[in-house]
Each structure stands twice: as C-alpha cells, then as structure tokens.
Amino acid sequence: MTRPAIDLGKNHNTSYNNKQYTTSPIIDGYFPKKTYKEMAITRVNRTLCLILTVFILISAVSYYFVTASEITLNKYRKQTLAINDENVELQNKLDYLKSYYNVDKAMQQKKLLHKAKNVIEVNQTAAAGVNKLSVNDGAKKPFKWSLGY
C-alpha cells in the first residue's frame, strides 16, 4: 500500500542547505531487517536439512533391501539345511548298501558260499529209514546248530 503524501508543515525542514531531508516510505509493511550473515546461516541450514533428509531416505531404502535380502538368505539357509539332512540320510543308506555289496562280493571271491549246481530230491520213504537217536543214548551228543560264519 502506498502512503498518502505527508503534509510538510512548519516542523519539517526541507532545505538543501541543512542537508536534512524528510523521508516518507513509499510502501508500508513489515520488512524484517536481516543481516547478510543471518541470511547465509539460514541458507546453509536449509541446505543441510535437505541433505539430511536425502540421507534418511537413502538409509530407509537401504534398510528395506537389507532386510529383504536377509529374509531371502534365511529361506536359502533353511533349504540348505533340509538338503544337508537328506544328504546325510542318503549317505548313510549308501554306506549301508556299499558295505552289504562289499560283504557279498568278498563272499563270492572267497567262494565260501557256493550255489547248488544240482538239486537232489530225496523221497520220504528213504528219509524214514534213518535210525533215530534215543534220548537215553548218552554216548552221542546231539548236533548243535550254529549261526553265522
């Protein structure tokens, strides 16, 4: 807003000889009088706040990606542990089968057990003619079966 012209009366001296001038503002309003130092500090503070905000946003995004990758790593760790447990079971089974195969192969190499080449059939009547041992016969020991090799 403009201010109306001020009536220069007797009290105001407008002579150029005394170098006293009357001043009247052209625009009225509140104009803060900040020094250059205060304006520079304000600008530096705003810049630092902007940089801090950018760093906070970057750290939030980084945190999101770190937690997402940690979740993925935990999933892979669980799968790896499950596969390792299965591998241990399969390795034990394989070792058992290998040991059975090795025993069987060793038995075939030593020829301790032979396969029957011919099968002999015995009639029941011929088996009935075998003398039976009596229980009172102490001279002969009964045959004891043994299992194993």
Side-chain angles (χ1 to χ4, degrees):
M1 296 186 137
T2 59
R3 178 181 265 180
I6 299 175
D7 182 24
L8 298 175
K10 305 182 218 176
N11 296 339
H12 292 293
N13 187 0
T14 58
S15 68
Y16 292 108
N17 295 338
N18 295 337
K19 297 195 179 196
Q20 294 177 353
Y21 302 104
T22 58
T23 57
S24 64
I26 297 175
I27 299 175
D28 275 341
Y30 174 71
F31 298 105
K33 298 190 178 190
K34 289 187 175 180
T35 63
Y36 179 75
K37 181 179 180 181
E38 291 173 348
M39 288 190 301
I41 290 173
T42 303
R43 182 170 284 177
V44 168
N45 285 341
R46 285 184 184 166
T47 305
L48 291 176
C49 286
L50 179 67
I51 291 171
L52 181 63
T53 305
V54 169
F55 282 148
I56 290 173
L57 290 176
I58 288 172
S59 65
V61 170
S62 299
Y63 180 75
Y64 170 75
F65 284 116
V66 166
T67 54
S69 63
E70 185 175 345
I71 290 170
T72 305
L73 285 176
N74 283 337
K75 183 178 73 172
Y76 288 150
R77 183 185 61 85
K78 287 178 184 177
Q79 289 176 353
T80 303
L81 289 176
I83 289 173
N84 283 342
D85 291 340
E86 184 180 351
N87 189 22
V88 167
E89 291 174 6
L90 291 174
Q91 187 66 40
N92 288 338
K93 189 174 182 180
L94 180 67
D95 290 342
Y96 173 75
L97 291 175
K98 277 185 177 180
S99 67
Y100 180 75
Y101 176 74
N102 289 338
V103 168
D104 188 40
K105 193 170 183 179
M107 294 299 286
Q108 287 178 0
Q109 286 177 355
K110 300 289 182 179
K111 296 189 179 187
L112 295 175
L113 298 175
H114 296 285
K115 293 181 180 176
K117 294 180 184 174
N118 293 333
V119 177
I120 302 173
E121 292 184 14
V122 178
N123 291 337
Q124 187 176 7
T125 57
V130 176
N131 293 332
K132 292 186 180 180
L133 295 174
S134 65
V135 180
N136 295 335
D137 191 12
K140 294 184 181 178
K141 291 184 179 179
F143 181 73
K144 293 184 180 177
W145 290 92
S146 63
L147 298 175
Y149 299 103

